[in-house]
Amino acid sequence: MQTEKKTRVAILGYGNIGKAVEEAVSMTNDMTIAGIFHHDETDRLNACHPDIVLLGVPSREVPGTAERLLSTGLNTVDSFDIHTQIPTVHKLLNDTARTHNAVSILSAGWDPGSDSVFRTLMEALMPSGLTYTDFGPGRSMGHTVAAKHIEGVKDALSMTIPLGTGIHRRMVYVEIKDGYSYDNVRDAILQDDYFAHDETHVIEVENVQALNNVAHGVHLTRNGVSGTTHNQRIDMTMTINNPALTGQIMVASARAAMRLAERKHYGCFTMIELAPVDLLEGGKEEWIKKLV
Amino acid sequence: MQTEKKTRVAILGYGNIGKAVEEAVSMTNDMTIAGIFHHDETDRLNACHPDIVLLGVPSREVPGTAERLLSTGLNTVDSFDIHTQIPTVHKLLNDTARTHNAVSILSAGWDPGSDSVFRTLMEALMPSGLTYTDFGPGRSMGHTVAAKHIEGVKDALSMTIPLGTGIHRRMVYVEIKDGYSYDNVRDAILQDDYFAHDETHVIEVENVQALNNVAHGVHLTRNGVSGTTHNQRIDMTMTINNPALTGQIMVASARAAMRLAERKHYGCFTMIELAPVDLLEGGKEEWIKKLV
C-alpha cells in the first residue's frame, strides 16, 4: 500500500470522536490527516482539498453539515446516532450525494453501525425469531445530557445497565447545585421523558467527574429459525472503549467510501449496505485467503 | 413481494444440504423451487430454466460443477468448505462467471461463510489483535470421513471439541469390523494425518448411528486494538443445527446473487464481498428502518 496514493482525511469537530478518528488514521498505512477543523471552519476545510471528511460534530448537526459538504462534491462519514431519523437522513443525503457525485457513509459507529450489521446477519441466518440488543453497562450520552439540563443539577452522569430482553435500568449520578434539594431534582429526573419509561435510580454524589469512564458494552442475542429448524442461537458480546471504537469504525468506513467513489458508485450508504471486505486495508485477495 | 416475479431455484444434489435448501426456500416469499436434481442430471436441470442453481454436491465436486453451470450462463451458490483452496477456486469461478455474465457465490455456509463475515468485522473494528475460532462441540464431516476410511472401521463419528484459542480435541467413536482389533484401529486413526496433530481419543461403541446428531457450534473471539486503544473485546457464540443453517445461508446468498446479476455485477463473490442487506427478503428501506 505504501506506493499508492494515501487518502487525505479531514476531521471536522475535535471532541472525543474527532480525537479517536485522528488516532485511528495514525495507525493506518493508506490514509493521512489533511487537516483538523472546528465546526465553523468549513472554508479552511475546503481549502485543504481533502478526499473525505469525517464528522465529529454532534449528531443533530450531522444532516446539515454532511449535506453542505456533499454539495461541494466532498465525501463524508458520520456516526449519526438518532435511530428514528436515520431513514429520513439516508434519503436526504443519498439524493445530495448522487447529484454531486459523492459518497456519504451514514451512522458508521457501533450502534447504529457494526451492531446493525450483526443484526442483519442474524436476520439472514435465522429469518424468523427475536433479536435483543442489551446496551451497557456504560455511559449513555443522550441520558447524561438530559439529566444535566434538569434545574438544580450541577453535573450528571447516566449509566445504562442491561436487564436483558432489551430492558434497561438507568443509574443517574448527580451533583446538586447549592440551594436545590435532592428530592426535587430526583423527582424532576424521574418525570423527564428520557427516564419516565425505564427503572431509574438517582444518586447524589460529590464529584461526577470522578466517575468518568468511557467503557461501554453491548450484548446481542437472537434465537430463531433457519429454514424450518427452530432453536438456532447466536449470542454476541462486546466490551469496549466507546469513542475509540467509534473512531475506528468511521476510519474503516472512510476506506469503503473511497472504494465506492472509485467505482463511481455514488450515494449514501449505511453499514449494512457495505461489503465488509471494503472496510479493510489492503487487497481483497489477501483477506479472502486469511478470513474466509 | 408477492406481485414480483419469484426467483426460480434449482437444487443440484439432494443430501442433507439439498434438503435444507428446499426447506429454506419453502419459507421465503420471493423464491420458488424450479426443480431438484441429482448429480448426473445437468441436462434435465438446464431444461427447467432456473434463475440460479444451489449446489448440494460434495465440496470436492463444487469447482467443476459450478464452472460447468456458470459456463452456460447459470448463476450458482455453493457452500464449498475446503478453506485452503478457496482463493484458487474464487479466481477460477470469477473468470468463468464474468465471461458468461453470471454470478457465483462461493463458500456460502457458516464457516466458511457467515463466520468469515464476523471475522472481517472483528478485523475492521480492531485492526490489530488476535481472533480465535473455536468449533464445536459438533460432528466434523472431514474427520468422520477420514475415520471411516481406516481399515477395520465399520462406521465412525468424529466429534470436534473446542479447547479454546483455536485448539481442538477429536473424540472418535468407532464400530469395529469383525476380525479386527480395537488396538490396531485406534493406532491407525492416531497416525492418520487428520488426527496426528490434535489430542485424539478413540472410543469403541456398538452403534455409531445411535450417536447421530447434527448439532454444531462455534465460538469466535477477538481481543484487539481500535485506533490506539487496547483491550477491545468481542465474543460471539452460535449453537445451531448445521445443515439447516447452511441451507438457510445458501438461500439468503442466492437472493444477493440475483441482486448482483440485476445490477450486471457479474463474477464470483465470497460472503465478505456481499452487502449484508442484500441477503434479506424485501426492500432495503424497510431493513434500514428496522435494523440500523
Side-chain angles (χ1 to χ4, degrees):
Chain A
M1 293 301 292
Q2 281 85 341
T3 57
E4 290 180 28
K5 189 179 160 291
K6 290 191 179 191
T7 298
R8 291 169 45 77
V9 173
I11 299 173
L12 183 62
Y14 197 54
N16 279 340
I17 299 301
K19 284 168 191 158
V21 167
E22 185 185 18
E23 289 176 355
V25 169
S26 78
M27 300 301 284
T28 68
N29 297 301
D30 57 351
M31 297 188 190
T32 185
I33 300 284
I36 297 171
F37 306 95
H38 294 286
H39 292 203
D40 51 354
E41 301 182 305
T42 44
D43 286 351
R44 269 191 60 221
L45 184 153
N46 281 308
C48 90
H49 299 295
D51 295 314
I52 191 160
V53 187
L54 274 55
L55 306 188
V57 302
S59 266
R60 64 184 175 282
E61 295 177 21
V62 160
T65 308
E67 222 194 347
R68 206 162 53 245
L69 294 164
L70 293 166
S71 299
T72 68
L74 281 168
N75 305 305
T76 64
V77 178
D78 64 70
S79 56
F80 182 73
D81 68 353
I82 308 172
H83 285 259
T84 52
Q85 297 178 16
I86 290 170
T88 311
V89 176
H90 186 266
K91 197 183 171 328
L92 176 84
L93 298 186
N94 191 47
D95 292 345
T96 309
R98 287 189 177 212
T99 305
H100 298 278
N101 290 353
V103 173
S104 150
I105 311 288
L106 173 66
S107 298
W110 56 273
D111 203 321
S114 52
D115 280 1
S116 316
V117 179
F118 289 121
R119 283 189 288 264
T120 302
L121 287 167
M122 289 177 175
E123 189 85 31
L125 270 55
M126 302 151 194
S128 107
L130 281 167
T131 298
Y132 291 115
T133 303
D134 294 303
F135 293 107
R139 183 171 59 173
S140 163
M141 303 300 286
H143 290 79
T144 295
V145 170
K148 283 182 180 177
H149 278 96
I150 299 287
E151 196 182 345
V153 172
K154 190 174 166 191
D155 200 358
L157 167 64
S158 180
M159 291 289 288
T160 303
I161 311 298
L163 302 180
T165 59
I167 305 297
H168 297 91
R169 177 189 297 143
R170 312 289 170 184
M171 297 294 291
V172 189
Y173 300 90
V174 289
E175 269 178 68
I176 310 277
K177 279 184 190 162
D178 290 344
Y180 287 86
S181 83
Y182 163 77
D183 285 0
N184 289 351
V185 163
R186 180 199 56 210
D187 291 350
I189 289 173
L190 295 181
Q191 283 157 35
D192 187 280
D193 200 53
Y194 260 90
F195 299 97
H197 313 288
D198 296 326
E199 177 193 329
T200 300
H201 301 261
V202 181
I203 295 158
E204 186 175 0
V205 296
E206 292 198 351
N207 182 4
V208 163
Q209 275 308 307
L211 310 179
N212 189 36
N213 179 1
V214 295
H216 215 314
V218 67
H219 183 201
L220 281 165
T221 57
R222 186 170 180 84
N223 187 332
V225 183
S226 306
T228 56
T229 301
H230 290 242
N231 201 25
Q232 304 282 81
R233 290 167 182 270
I234 189 164
D235 188 299
M236 197 277 287
T237 305
M238 285 202 312
T239 56
I240 44 120
N241 171 312
N242 185 352
L245 183 58
T246 305
Q248 177 63 58
I249 292 172
M250 290 178 72
V251 167
S253 298
R255 190 172 288 124
M258 294 308 297
R259 288 170 178 166
L260 288 166
E262 272 169 38
R263 296 173 206 143
K264 301 189 190 306
H265 198 160
Y266 304 119
C268 176
F269 303 83
T270 57
M271 288 186 76
I272 70 173
E273 299 164 82
L274 303 179
V277 74
D278 280 343
L279 299 167
L280 302 182
E281 186 178 322
K284 193 171 76 170
E285 288 69 22
E286 278 307 301
W287 290 118
I288 289 173
K289 200 168 164 181
K290 193 174 167 195
L291 297 171
V292 176
Chain B
M1 291 305 290
Q2 281 83 343
T3 57
E4 290 179 28
K5 189 179 161 291
K6 292 190 179 192
T7 297
R8 290 167 47 77
V9 173
I11 300 173
L12 182 62
Y14 197 55
N16 279 339
I17 300 301
K19 283 169 192 157
V21 166
E22 183 185 20
E23 288 177 355
V25 169
S26 78
M27 300 301 284
T28 68
N29 297 301
D30 57 352
M31 297 189 190
T32 185
I33 300 284
I36 298 170
F37 306 95
H38 294 287
H39 294 203
D40 51 353
E41 300 181 305
T42 44
D43 285 350
R44 268 192 59 220
L45 186 153
N46 282 307
C48 89
H49 298 294
D51 295 312
I52 191 159
V53 186
L54 274 57
L55 306 187
V57 302
S59 266
R60 66 185 175 282
E61 295 178 21
V62 160
T65 308
E67 222 194 348
R68 207 164 50 244
L69 293 165
L70 292 165
S71 298
T72 67
L74 281 169
N75 306 305
T76 64
V77 178
D78 65 69
S79 56
F80 182 73
D81 68 353
I82 308 171
H83 285 259
T84 52
Q85 298 179 15
I86 290 170
T88 312
V89 176
H90 186 266
K91 196 182 170 327
L92 175 84
L93 298 187
N94 191 47
D95 292 344
T96 309
R98 288 190 178 211
T99 305
H100 298 279
N101 290 352
V103 173
S104 150
I105 312 288
L106 174 66
S107 298
W110 57 273
D111 204 319
S114 51
D115 281 1
S116 316
V117 179
F118 289 121
R119 284 190 289 265
T120 302
L121 287 167
M122 288 177 176
E123 189 86 31
L125 270 52
M126 303 152 192
S128 106
L130 281 167
T131 299
Y132 291 115
T133 303
D134 295 304
F135 294 107
R139 182 172 59 175
S140 163
M141 302 301 287
H143 290 78
T144 296
V145 169
K148 283 182 181 178
H149 279 95
I150 299 287
E151 197 184 343
V153 172
K154 190 172 164 193
D155 199 359
L157 166 66
S158 179
M159 291 289 288
T160 302
I161 311 298
L163 302 179
T165 61
I167 305 297
H168 296 93
R169 177 188 297 143
R170 311 290 170 184
M171 297 295 289
V172 188
Y173 300 90
V174 289
E175 267 178 69
I176 311 278
K177 278 184 190 163
D178 289 345
Y180 288 86
S181 83
Y182 163 78
D183 286 0
N184 289 351
V185 163
R186 180 199 59 210
D187 292 349
I189 289 174
L190 295 180
Q191 284 159 33
D192 186 281
D193 200 54
Y194 260 91
F195 299 97
H197 313 288
D198 296 325
E199 178 193 330
T200 300
H201 301 262
V202 181
I203 295 157
E204 186 176 358
V205 295
E206 292 200 350
N207 182 6
V208 163
Q209 276 308 309
L211 310 178
N212 189 37
N213 180 2
V214 294
H216 215 313
V218 67
H219 183 200
L220 280 165
T221 57
R222 185 168 180 86
N223 187 333
V225 184
S226 307
T228 57
T229 301
H230 290 242
N231 201 24
Q232 304 280 84
R233 290 167 183 269
I234 189 163
D235 189 300
M236 197 277 288
T237 305
M238 285 202 309
T239 54
I240 43 118
N241 171 314
N242 186 353
L245 183 58
T246 304
Q248 177 62 60
I249 291 172
M250 290 180 72
V251 166
S253 298
R255 190 174 287 125
M258 293 309 297
R259 287 170 178 165
L260 288 166
E262 272 168 38
R263 298 174 205 141
K264 302 190 190 305
H265 197 160
Y266 304 120
C268 176
F269 304 83
T270 57
M271 286 187 77
I272 70 174
E273 300 165 81
L274 303 179
V277 73
D278 280 343
L279 299 167
L280 302 182
E281 185 178 323
K284 193 172 75 168
E285 289 69 23
E286 278 306 302
W287 290 117
I288 289 174
K289 198 167 166 183
K290 189 173 168 194
L291 297 171
V292 178

